[in-house]
Amino acid sequence: MLNPLINSRSRQNRSMFRIPPYHYLHVLDQTTNVTRLETGPQTFVKKDNEMVLSKTEKMVVVPPRHFCVISNPAMTDENKQVLLDNLGQVRLHHAEDEVRLQQVPFPLYPGEEIKVKITLLTVVPALSALRLKVTRDFTDEDNQQRRAGDEMLFEGPGTYIPRKEIEVIGQHKAIIIKPNTAVKLRATRETTDKNGVNRVAGEEWMVKKNGSYLPGVYEEVVVTCTAYFLTDKTAVHVAATQTFTDEKGRQRKSGEEYLITVDDMEAFIPGVYENVIETKGITTLTNRQYCIVVNPVGANGKPQLGAKKLVKGEKSFFLQPGELLENGVQDIFILGENEGIVLKALEAHKDTFANPPVDRKPGDNWMLTGPLEYIPPVEVIVLSTRKAFPLHQNEGIYVRNTNTGKVRAVVGKTYMLQEDEELWEKQLPLIVKTLLSSESHTAADKHYAKEWKNPNKENVQDDTVGDTWDGTKVVTFQVPHNAAVQLYDYKSKMSRVVFGPDLVMLGPDEQFTQLSLSAGNPKKPNMWKAIALWLSPIFTSDVITVETSDHARLQLDLQYNRHFEIEDLTNQVEASKLFCVGDFVGDLCKAMASRIRGAVSSITFDDFHKNSAKIIEVAVFGMNPETRKVRERIKFPANNFVVTSVDIKSVEPVDQRTRDSLLKSVTLAIEITTQSQEAAARREAERHEQESQGKLERQRIEDEATSEKARKKLLALQAESAAIESTGQAKAEAFSRAEAARIEAEAAVQEAKLKAQAHKIETEAELKRMNAAREADIKFALEQNNLEVEKAEKMAKIETDKFNKMVTVLGTKTIQAMASGPQDHQVKMLQSLGLSSTLITDGRTPINLLNTAGGLLGNVGTQP
C-alpha cells in the first residue's frame, strides 16, 4: 500500500486529471483559499495556484428503499440549487444533519460528511411498532407540533423514513389476547387509550377484547391474566383492594371478601381492583358425615364471629369467606354393642337425644353406649371414644377413677371404662421390664437369667423395651417349676412368696423383689439381676487364690453344688427366708473361700498337691466330731441355703517358682513313665523281630524251591522255542527274498512307465509354452505396429489440421506476401538506387560469372 503522502505529492505533481462520469474532485484555490467541486465527465487541468485535495471519488448512490445521513449539508434554494457565498464557497448548515433518500447520484460538497452510511430503510411488520423519541421541536406533516422529549409509535405495516428530529429507541410487538385471557395495563403518564378514555399517570385498566393489542406509547403491560374456570366443584375467593363496581353492577367495598361461583359466571378474570386469594373446592358431605362451620355467614351476608353451625349430610356447599371448618369433615359416630363415647357440655342446653330430655350444664360429662348413631351438637364436644376390653381369666387392666384417684385391677371379664375412669399405667423398673420381656429364663442363675448391665455404670440402656411395653395391662409372670417369686405390696406393707409352677398377676401396688447376684470368675457383685429364685440343685463356680505354709500361691477353680431347702411351701414365714439374703451367691463364695484359705495356709505345697480334694472338702464341710468323718452338707439357716458338694476343676500355681517346680516334678514323672514304656516297647519289638526273621527264612527256602521248578520248565520251553525259531527264520528269509525280487521288478516297470509319462508331459508343456510365447510375440508386434500406424496417422492429421488452420488464419494473400516479400524489397531497393540488377555475396562463396557477364553486357555477340 502506497503512503498517502506519496499519493498527495503525486497528485500535486500532476496537472491533468481525468474525472469519469459520476465522479468528483475537490480543488482548492490557493489564491482565494476557496474549495470548489469539479464533477465528471471531464478532463481537469490544474492551474499553478490550485491544489487537488482528494483523489477522484465516486458520487454517493442511494438505492431504492435505502437512506443515508449527511452532516453539515450544503444550503439549497427553492430550486434545489446549491447556494454560494460572496467568495464562491458553498454555504453549509453547520452541526446539522440531513436524511437523503433515493435520488440521482450526488457528490459531497466541501465540508459535507457521511454520518450514517447507506442503510436499508426499516420495514415495520404488522402487529408491531417502532418507539420514537423527539430530540428537538418540530412540526410534522399533519401540522402537529412535536416537543423535545415526546414519544410516539410508528405502527406497521409500513416503511419508516427517518427524520433528523427523531430517534428510534425501541420496538414494540402487539400482544395477542386469547379467549379467557386479559391484559392489565398501566399509564406511565397522562394519555388517552385506544378507546378514547383519558388515563392519568399510574392508572390501571383491563383489556379483555380478543385479538391483537398494541400498547400505546405511554402504556405498559403489568401482567397477562388467565381466567379461572369455575365449575360446580370450584369457586374463587376474591378480595377487593378498593371500592368499585363490578361487572354485575354490584358495589364492592375496599377490603370486602366474596366468593365467585359458577352461578355468577363460567370463567372469571380478576379486575384491576380484585385480588384472588385462593381457589376453593366444594365441601361435600355424605349421609354418614357432618361438619361444624365456625363464623358462619348470616342472612345479612356478614360472618357471625364466634358462632358455630352444624351441617349434616347429604349436602354440598362452598365455605364463604371467613368461614372455617372445625376439625374438618367428620364421620358420624356409629357405636357397636361394646363401644361408647364420652361427651362434655360446653354450653347449657337441653339434651334431646336422651329419653327423656335432660338439661345439661357447662362442664357436665356423660357417656353414651351403643348400638346407636350420634352426631354431637355444637354445644357438645367428644372427649374420647371407648371400646370394651375382652379379658381372659389370666388377663387384666389397671383402671383409675378420675374422681377419687383409686386404682384397681379388672381381671377376667369384658369391661368398658366409664366416663370417670381411665387406664392407669403401672410403673416398673427398667430391669424388671427387661427381665419380663426377655425370652430367656428369669431365674437367679447365669444359665437362665439374662445378663444385665447397670445403665449408670456402663452407660447402656435398652430403649426397645419401653417402646413395646404396655403398662396399662396387668403385669403377669409365669413362675417356672421349682422356682419362687416374692411380691411386696407397698400399700398394705405385706409380702407374699409364690412357688412355681404358677401365674403371678401384680396388683396396682405390688412390685417384684429384685435379686442382685454376684457372677463371673472370680465373683463380682451386682452382675446378675433376677426376679425368680431357682430352688433345685445347681452348680456355682468360683476362682480363688490360696497360699500354702511354704508360701506357694495357687489358683483354684471350684464348683459348688447347692440348692434351697424348704419343707412347708404354704408357710410364708419360712418362704420369706429365701429372699432374706440379697446376694446369696456372693456370700456363699466368700464364706467358702475364707474356709479354704484358712485350711490351705497351714499345710505345705506337697501335702496340698497330694491331698487337695480331701483338704478342701474338710475345709468346706468340716468334720463330724462324733463320727470323725467329713460332713456331707452344709446349711445356712438364714435363707435355708444348702451346699452338698464341692468339685475342684483345676489347680494352677500363681508364682513362677512354684509353677517351675511343679513343672519339673510333672516332667520327671512323665520321663520315668516314658522310659518304662520305651523299655517295654523295645522288648516287644525284639520279640516281633525274631519271629519275623524265622518266618522270612522259611519263606525264602520255599521261594527257592518254587524258583527251581519254574527254571526247569523255562529251559524246556526255551529249547522248543529255539527249534521253532530256526525253522521259521529259514522259511521267512526265503519267502522274503522272493517277495523282494518280485517287488523290485514291479517297481522297475512302474518307474519306466512313469518316466515315459513325465517325459511326454514335459514335451507337451514345452511345446505349449513355445506356441504361447510365439503367439504373444506376434500379438505384441501386431499391436505395436497398429499403435505406430495409429500414432503416425494422428500426427499427420494433427500436422495437416495445424497447417490448414495456419493457412486459414494467415490467408492466401498473407502467405503470398510473405513469399514474395524479400524479392519485392530488393526490387524496390534497386529501383530506388537506379540499378537494374545487383549481386551481393560474402566473398567466400564462388560465383560463376561466365554467363553473368553476358547478362550484364547484354547480347553483344549476337548483334550484326
Side-chain angles (χ1 to χ4, degrees):
M1 184 176 178
L2 296 177
N3 193 338
L5 183 59
I6 299 176
N7 291 334
S8 177
R9 292 177 178 176
S10 62
R11 287 197 301 268
Q12 302 306 323
N13 295 330
R14 293 169 54 190
S15 59
M16 184 171 56
F17 295 87
R18 289 183 174 84
I19 304 176
Y22 300 109
H23 287 69
Y24 64 94
L25 281 177
H26 288 170
V27 180
L28 174 63
D29 188 344
Q30 296 181 357
T31 302
T32 61
N33 202 21
V34 173
T35 303
R36 71 177 185 275
L37 179 71
E38 296 290 340
T39 60
Q42 67 168 318
T43 299
F44 173 70
V45 178
K46 185 186 68 169
K47 299 179 180 179
D48 293 339
N49 62 337
E50 292 178 341
M51 182 175 62
V52 177
L53 297 180
S54 64
K55 63 181 181 179
T56 304
E57 295 184 3
K58 191 176 180 181
M59 292 184 181
V60 179
V61 179
V62 181
R65 304 189 63 79
H66 287 71
F67 75 97
C68 68
V69 178
I70 305 298
S71 62
N72 304 323
M75 296 182 182
T76 57
D77 55 10
E78 297 177 355
N79 298 325
K80 302 297 182 181
Q81 297 297 322
V82 176
L83 299 179
L84 302 177
D85 57 10
N86 298 330
L87 300 176
Q89 181 72 40
V90 177
R91 298 176 62 185
L92 302 177
H93 289 285
H94 292 284
E96 287 286 346
D97 295 332
E98 180 182 349
V99 179
R100 297 183 183 179
L101 303 175
Q102 179 188 1
Q103 55 183 289
V104 296
F106 60 90
L108 292 179
Y109 286 92
E112 289 184 337
E113 295 179 358
I114 297 180
K115 185 176 181 180
V116 178
K117 296 182 179 179
I118 298 174
T119 307
L120 183 67
L121 291 174
T122 302
V123 178
V124 182
L127 304 180
S128 62
L130 291 179
R131 188 182 184 93
L132 308 177
K133 184 176 182 180
V134 179
T135 58
R136 64 174 73 178
D137 298 346
F138 75 99
T139 302
D140 59 10
E141 293 81 357
D142 299 331
N143 201 19
Q144 184 177 358
Q145 183 69 27
R146 300 290 185 178
R147 300 293 182 181
D150 288 347
E151 294 183 3
M152 64 189 75
L153 291 180
F154 179 82
E155 299 183 8
T159 301
Y160 172 69
I161 298 176
R163 295 179 60 102
K164 64 180 180 179
E165 300 89 356
I166 299 175
E167 65 174 350
V168 179
I169 60 175
Q171 186 174 4
H172 290 183
K173 290 187 178 180
I175 300 173
I176 305 300
I177 303 176
K178 300 179 181 179
N180 296 321
T181 59
V183 176
K184 181 185 287 188
L185 301 177
R186 181 188 296 122
T188 59
R189 56 177 286 184
E190 295 182 0
T191 184
T192 302
D193 63 9
K194 293 192 175 181
N195 296 326
V197 180
N198 294 326
R199 304 291 182 180
V200 297
E203 183 180 354
E204 295 181 355
W205 68 96
M206 301 292 292
V207 177
K208 300 181 180 180
K209 184 179 179 181
N210 295 337
S212 62
Y213 181 81
L214 186 63
V217 65
Y218 298 120
E219 298 174 3
E220 63 177 358
V221 178
V222 179
V223 68
T224 301
C225 301
T226 304
Y228 292 87
F229 295 97
L230 306 177
T231 63
D232 295 337
K233 297 181 180 180
T234 58
V236 179
H237 182 190
V238 182
T241 58
Q242 71 180 50
T243 303
F244 73 102
T245 302
D246 61 9
E247 296 178 356
K248 299 294 184 178
R250 289 174 292 188
Q251 186 178 13
R252 302 293 185 182
K253 299 293 184 179
S254 177
E256 180 183 355
E257 297 183 5
Y258 48 94
L259 204 66
I260 304 296
T261 62
V262 70
D263 297 334
D264 299 324
M265 60 188 70
E266 295 182 353
F268 172 68
I269 298 177
V272 178
Y273 306 115
E274 291 178 322
N275 181 26
V276 176
I277 298 177
E278 61 177 340
T279 301
K280 286 192 174 182
I282 194 170
T283 302
T284 303
L285 303 178
T286 64
N287 59 353
R288 318 304 295 169
Q289 292 177 332
Y290 74 98
C291 66
I292 296 177
V293 180
V294 182
N295 304 328
V297 176
N300 58 354
K302 304 296 181 181
Q304 299 176 356
L305 301 179
K308 294 183 180 180
K309 177 183 177 183
L310 177 64
V311 181
K312 301 178 181 179
E314 300 176 353
K315 190 173 184 180
S316 296
F317 63 95
F318 289 104
L319 287 177
Q320 296 297 323
E323 293 182 342
L324 298 175
L325 287 182
E326 187 177 55
N327 300 324
V329 177
Q330 306 178 56
D331 296 331
I332 66 175
F333 292 92
I334 302 175
L335 304 180
E337 183 178 358
N338 294 325
E339 295 178 336
I341 55 174
V342 179
L343 306 176
K344 182 178 181 180
L346 298 177
E347 301 175 8
H349 69 286
K350 191 170 186 178
D351 187 2
T352 58
F353 191 81
N355 191 15
V358 180
D359 291 331
R360 303 291 186 185
K361 297 180 180 180
D364 287 350
N365 292 345
W366 70 98
M367 182 174 178
L368 298 178
T369 58
L372 55 84
E373 295 180 0
Y374 182 72
I375 299 176
V378 295
E379 299 86 3
V380 177
I381 62 170
V382 177
L383 294 180
S384 63
T385 59
R386 299 290 171 86
K387 190 173 183 181
F389 295 92
L391 302 175
H392 188 260
Q393 61 180 357
N394 294 332
E395 295 179 335
I397 56 174
Y398 298 111
V399 178
R400 179 177 178 269
N401 191 297
T402 58
N403 294 328
T404 63
K406 184 178 179 180
V407 180
R408 60 190 178 94
V410 179
V411 180
K413 64 178 180 180
T414 301
Y415 184 77
M416 182 185 297
L417 297 176
Q418 298 301 314
E419 65 271 10
D420 57 350
E421 291 180 341
E422 64 180 1
L423 289 175
W424 180 74
E425 184 174 358
K426 185 176 180 60
Q427 300 297 326
L428 291 176
L430 181 59
I431 176 59
V432 176
K433 293 181 182 179
T434 304
L435 293 174
L436 293 176
S437 303
S438 64
E439 297 179 357
S440 60
H441 207 287
T442 55
D445 187 78
K446 67 179 180 180
H447 300 291
Y448 300 96
K450 184 174 180 179
E451 182 178 0
W452 168 257
K453 294 181 180 180
N454 192 339
N456 296 325
K457 295 181 179 180
E458 304 291 340
N459 295 325
V460 176
Q461 187 171 0
D462 190 359
D463 294 333
T464 59
V465 177
D467 296 338
T468 59
W469 181 262
D470 187 3
T472 61
K473 294 182 179 179
V474 172
V475 180
T476 60
F477 175 64
Q478 296 178 358
V479 183
H481 177 70
N482 228 348
V485 173
Q486 186 181 42
L487 306 176
Y488 184 79
D489 192 334
Y490 286 90
K491 186 176 181 180
S492 62
K493 307 296 182 181
M494 298 293 291
S495 64
R496 60 188 177 99
V497 179
V498 180
F499 294 93
D502 198 356
L503 179 68
V504 175
M505 302 184 72
L506 289 184
D509 302 312
E510 287 184 332
Q511 292 287 347
F512 287 102
T513 298
Q514 302 179 34
L515 297 175
S516 180
L517 306 179
S518 299
N521 288 323
K523 286 291 182 288
K524 296 180 181 179
N526 301 323
M527 291 296 293
W528 296 96
K529 301 288 184 178
I531 57 175
L533 185 63
W534 196 258
L535 303 178
S536 60
I538 197 169
F539 286 97
T540 298
S541 61
D542 191 17
V543 175
I544 63 174
T545 302
V546 299
E547 185 175 357
T548 60
S549 60
D550 53 357
H551 305 291
R553 294 174 58 84
L554 303 175
Q555 182 174 309
L556 306 181
D557 189 357
L558 305 177
Q559 201 170 45
Y560 311 103
N561 189 2
R562 47 86 177 178
H563 67 276
F564 288 93
E565 189 177 78
I566 184 169
E567 297 178 357
D568 187 6
L569 299 180
T570 60
N571 189 350
Q572 288 293 325
V573 177
E574 290 294 325
S576 62
K577 290 182 179 182
L578 298 176
F579 295 89
C580 290
V581 180
D583 187 5
F584 61 88
V585 175
D587 295 345
L588 168 66
C589 294
K590 290 177 182 179
M592 296 297 103
S594 176
R595 294 186 179 191
I596 293 172
R597 289 192 189 97
V600 174
S601 63
S602 61
I603 60 176
T604 62
F605 171 73
D606 293 336
D607 293 339
F608 179 77
H609 187 64
K610 295 175 182 178
N611 306 305
S612 58
K614 185 176 181 180
I615 293 171
I616 291 175
E617 286 182 357
V618 172
V620 172
F621 299 110
M623 298 292 291
N624 191 343
E626 297 178 357
T627 61
R628 296 286 182 175
K629 293 183 179 180
V630 180
R631 293 190 180 96
E632 295 181 355
R633 48 184 271 176
I634 182 174
K635 182 177 181 181
F636 297 91
N639 58 347
N640 295 328
F641 187 61
V642 179
V643 179
T644 58
S645 66
V646 60
D647 180 32
I648 305 173
K649 296 175 66 176
S650 65
V651 178
E652 295 183 0
V654 177
D655 297 338
Q656 186 65 32
R657 181 174 56 82
T658 307
R659 186 175 299 177
D660 294 341
S661 61
L662 180 62
L663 181 60
K664 287 180 181 180
S665 61
V666 173
T667 304
L668 182 60
I670 293 173
E671 288 179 356
I672 294 171
T673 305
T674 303
Q675 289 176 1
S676 63
Q677 290 178 355
E678 285 180 355
R682 188 166 52 253
R683 287 193 298 273
E684 186 68 20
E686 290 176 356
R687 185 177 64 80
H688 282 297
E689 185 179 0
Q690 292 295 330
E691 290 178 357
S692 299
Q693 287 181 356
K695 290 180 181 180
L696 182 61
E697 186 65 22
R698 184 174 61 183
Q699 185 67 32
R700 187 180 61 79
I701 295 171
E702 291 177 357
D703 291 342
E704 288 180 355
T706 304
S707 176
E708 288 297 330
K709 292 179 181 180
R711 187 170 178 274
K712 180 180 178 182
K713 187 176 181 180
L714 177 61
L715 292 175
L717 292 175
Q718 286 179 351
E720 184 179 358
S721 175
I724 294 172
E725 183 179 358
S726 61
T727 304
Q729 184 176 3
K731 290 175 68 177
E733 288 179 355
F735 181 77
S736 62
R737 283 196 294 272
E739 187 68 21
R742 185 182 64 79
I743 291 172
E744 288 179 358
E746 291 179 356
V749 173
Q750 188 70 21
E751 182 180 2
K753 289 181 179 180
L754 294 174
K755 287 183 178 180
Q757 291 179 359
H759 183 68
K760 182 179 179 181
I761 292 170
E762 289 178 356
T763 305
E764 291 177 354
E766 183 66 20
L767 180 61
K768 289 180 180 180
R769 186 188 66 78
M770 293 178 65
N771 291 335
R774 290 191 182 93
E775 289 177 358
D777 293 341
I778 293 171
K779 185 177 179 181
F780 175 74
L782 290 175
E783 290 180 355
Q784 188 174 12
N785 293 335
N786 291 334
L787 291 174
E788 291 292 336
V789 171
E790 186 178 356
K791 179 180 180 182
E793 289 177 354
K794 290 183 178 179
M795 291 299 293
K797 185 177 179 181
I798 290 170
E799 292 295 331
T800 304
D801 294 342
K802 177 181 178 182
F803 183 75
N804 291 333
K805 291 180 179 179
M806 291 174 63
V807 170
T808 303
V809 171
L810 295 175
T812 56
K813 294 181 179 181
T814 305
I815 295 173
Q816 183 179 359
M818 290 173 62
S820 61
Q823 290 80 5
D824 294 342
H825 180 67
Q826 292 176 3
V827 170
K828 291 180 179 180
M829 184 182 292
L830 292 174
Q831 289 177 355
S832 62
L833 296 174
L835 298 177
S836 58
S837 65
T838 181
L839 178 62
I840 300 172
T841 180
D842 55 359
R844 292 180 294 179
T845 303
I847 301 174
N848 187 5
L849 300 176
L850 294 178
N851 296 326
T852 305
L856 295 172
L857 298 175
N859 295 326
V860 177
T862 60
Q863 294 179 0

